[in-house]
Amino acid sequence: MTIQEEILQCKQQKDAIILAHYYVRPEIQEIADYVGDSFYLSQVATQLKEKVIVFCGVSFMGESAKILNPEKTVLMPDLSADCPMAHMADAKTILEMRQKYDDLAVVCYINSDATLKELSDVCVTSSNAVKIVKALPQKNIYFIPDRNLAHFIAQKVPEKNFIFHAGYCPIHDSMQVSEIMAQKAEHPNAKILAHPECTQNVLEIADYVGSTSGIIQFAKQDDADEFIICTEEGVTYALEQDNPTKKFFYPKTTPVCIDMKKISLEKILHVLRTGEGEIQIEHPFRERAKKPLEKMLQLGIES
Ligand code: 13P
Ligand code: SF4
């Protein structure tokens, strides 16, 4: 039996389903039941009938799935797969901001750990942040933790007063305009597609800015044959599946999220067999962290 067949068999025996983010290795995306961006996966997680969710991504994603589905078992193939940005805000500053500003909404990028979600009014992802911030009644928006996404949203929603935090994604934030332009020089017809976690300088030279699924959708619908992709290179799997004749390039230093790459087929099989890697979040903390996630899902659909 191949490892893929063993995973399939074990998945059926345990009544499990596999969710995977676009940044994990191609062989994982290939066997996953659902592949998507953070928002899509958090929506899917609320609609599953299976008892066990194996979440192939980083810890804030598995945590969110557990918070939204306390009755389900959520397994992470590698509990050390973590997003550094998810810990780049802090409770003390959130409380200070709440004292300093009236009419404040604490808006928490979903790439945050549960202790930050608990203290926030609403969560957002890169695919719904503009819509949700626009729909909030508050004038003042303290956006945690990502400064780049916050600046991108602030430009789109000028009627709000943004208070920025200094968090960032080490992978997206380190992409260099010079390295992107070096690719552009070699492929002058290529369109530049960027994730809003990139710096302002990169976003300024982009033809399109959007979440990972936004980038994948744009590449599929656009007439261009070549694209320079300014996000994590795991999206290549979906891009090439959707567009077998189009060409995709990356900044010269290929953006790779080492935490996403920790997930392997062997680790998936191991947690399915043993039940190790379970996410545990205690009640009532879990209920408090659930509110901003539920508000995101509600506003993401309604507004
Ligand atoms: P998406 O919201 O586009 O899935 O991005 C998640 C992420 O981790 C980006 O680095
Ligand atoms: Fe976090 Fe960046 Fe990795 Fe996304 S790519 S999970 S933001 S470190």
Side-chain angles (χ1 to χ4, degrees):
M1 235 198 275
T2 63
I3 188 159
Q4 286 86 351
E5 287 164 344
E6 284 187 84
I7 289 173
L8 188 65
Q9 191 185 61
C10 212
K11 209 177 70 167
Q12 282 160 356
Q13 283 164 357
K14 301 282 165 91
D15 191 25
I17 190 111
I18 300 178
L19 268 51
H21 191 270
Y22 284 124
Y23 296 168
V24 298
R25 296 173 188 278
E27 65 271 22
I28 316 278
Q29 297 190 44
E30 202 178 344
I31 56 126
D33 298 288
Y34 295 93
V35 181
D37 70 356
S38 313
F39 184 50
Y40 172 77
L41 293 173
S42 60
Q43 274 183 319
V44 165
T46 61
Q47 292 155 13
L48 300 171
K49 60 177 184 4
E50 289 77 6
K51 279 202 229 109
V52 179
I53 300 173
V54 179
F55 211 115
C56 302
V58 288
S59 50
F60 76 82
M61 297 179 176
E63 264 184 4
S64 301
K66 180 67 186 177
I67 292 167
L68 290 166
N69 300 279
E71 75 295 347
K72 292 200 196 282
T73 301
V74 179
L75 303 177
M76 296 291 293
D78 188 329
L79 280 171
S80 78
D82 196 8
C83 170
M85 177 161 60
H87 313 285
M88 287 187 188
D90 62 279
K92 187 171 163 279
T93 317
I94 295 174
L95 298 177
E96 278 169 15
M97 291 301 169
R98 286 207 186 275
Q99 291 204 321
K100 189 167 169 194
Y101 292 90
D102 282 339
D103 197 25
L104 180 82
V106 178
V107 177
C108 176
Y109 189 24
I110 198 167
N111 296 38
S112 298
D113 66 30
T115 63
L116 297 172
K117 289 191 173 92
E118 184 205 6
L119 299 172
S120 301
D121 295 298
V122 65
C123 286
V124 296
T125 74
S126 53
S127 60
N128 61 26
V130 172
K131 190 175 178 181
I132 289 178
V133 170
K134 267 192 183 156
L136 292 173
Q138 293 90 343
K139 169 86 177 159
N140 298 315
I141 306 293
Y142 178 39
F143 194 104
I144 56 167
D146 189 12
R147 61 184 178 212
N148 294 328
L149 178 63
H151 280 280
F152 176 70
I153 307 301
Q155 277 175 356
K156 303 264 175 204
V157 194
E159 65 274 24
K160 302 284 183 185
N161 174 42
F162 267 70
I163 302 125
F164 299 100
H165 191 80
Y168 61 94
C169 160
I171 290 93
H172 288 83
D173 192 72
S174 63
M175 280 183 232
Q176 298 295 319
V177 168
S178 58
E179 293 203 351
I180 299 164
M181 292 319 281
Q183 283 289 29
K184 183 84 177 166
E186 284 177 34
H187 311 282
N189 296 326
K191 284 196 176 160
I192 300 171
L193 315 185
H195 194 283
E197 286 176 14
C198 296
T199 62
Q200 209 62 25
N201 292 344
V202 170
L203 300 188
E204 272 165 20
I205 58 162
D207 297 288
Y208 171 79
V209 179
S211 71
T212 42
S213 42
I215 288 174
I216 290 165
Q217 219 176 333
F218 185 94
K220 192 173 177 178
Q221 287 165 357
D222 196 74
D223 291 339
D225 294 321
E226 297 187 331
F227 299 90
I228 300 164
I229 305 294
C230 302
T231 191
E232 212 275 349
E233 61 83 45
V235 294
T236 313
Y237 180 75
L239 288 169
E240 288 184 347
Q241 270 201 328
D242 286 353
N243 314 280
T245 60
K246 297 187 181 180
K247 294 238 170 335
F248 301 98
F249 307 98
Y250 288 85
K252 289 280 176 181
T253 309
T254 311
V256 177
C257 176
I258 46 169
D259 282 275
M260 288 281 188
K261 304 308 184 207
K262 285 180 179 173
I263 313 300
S264 67
L265 291 174
E266 289 73 17
K267 290 177 187 172
I268 294 173
L269 184 59
H270 181 76
V271 296
L272 272 170
R273 277 190 179 143
T274 61
E276 285 174 21
E278 184 174 354
I279 302 250
Q280 307 272 13
I281 305 176
E282 295 312 315
H283 182 81
F285 166 67
R286 195 183 58 219
E287 284 309 302
R288 294 195 297 269
K290 191 176 182 181
K291 286 200 179 107
L293 277 168
E294 284 184 328
K295 189 155 185 195
M296 172 186 80
L297 294 174
Q298 179 206 338
L299 287 174
I301 294 162
E302 277 177 6
S303 47

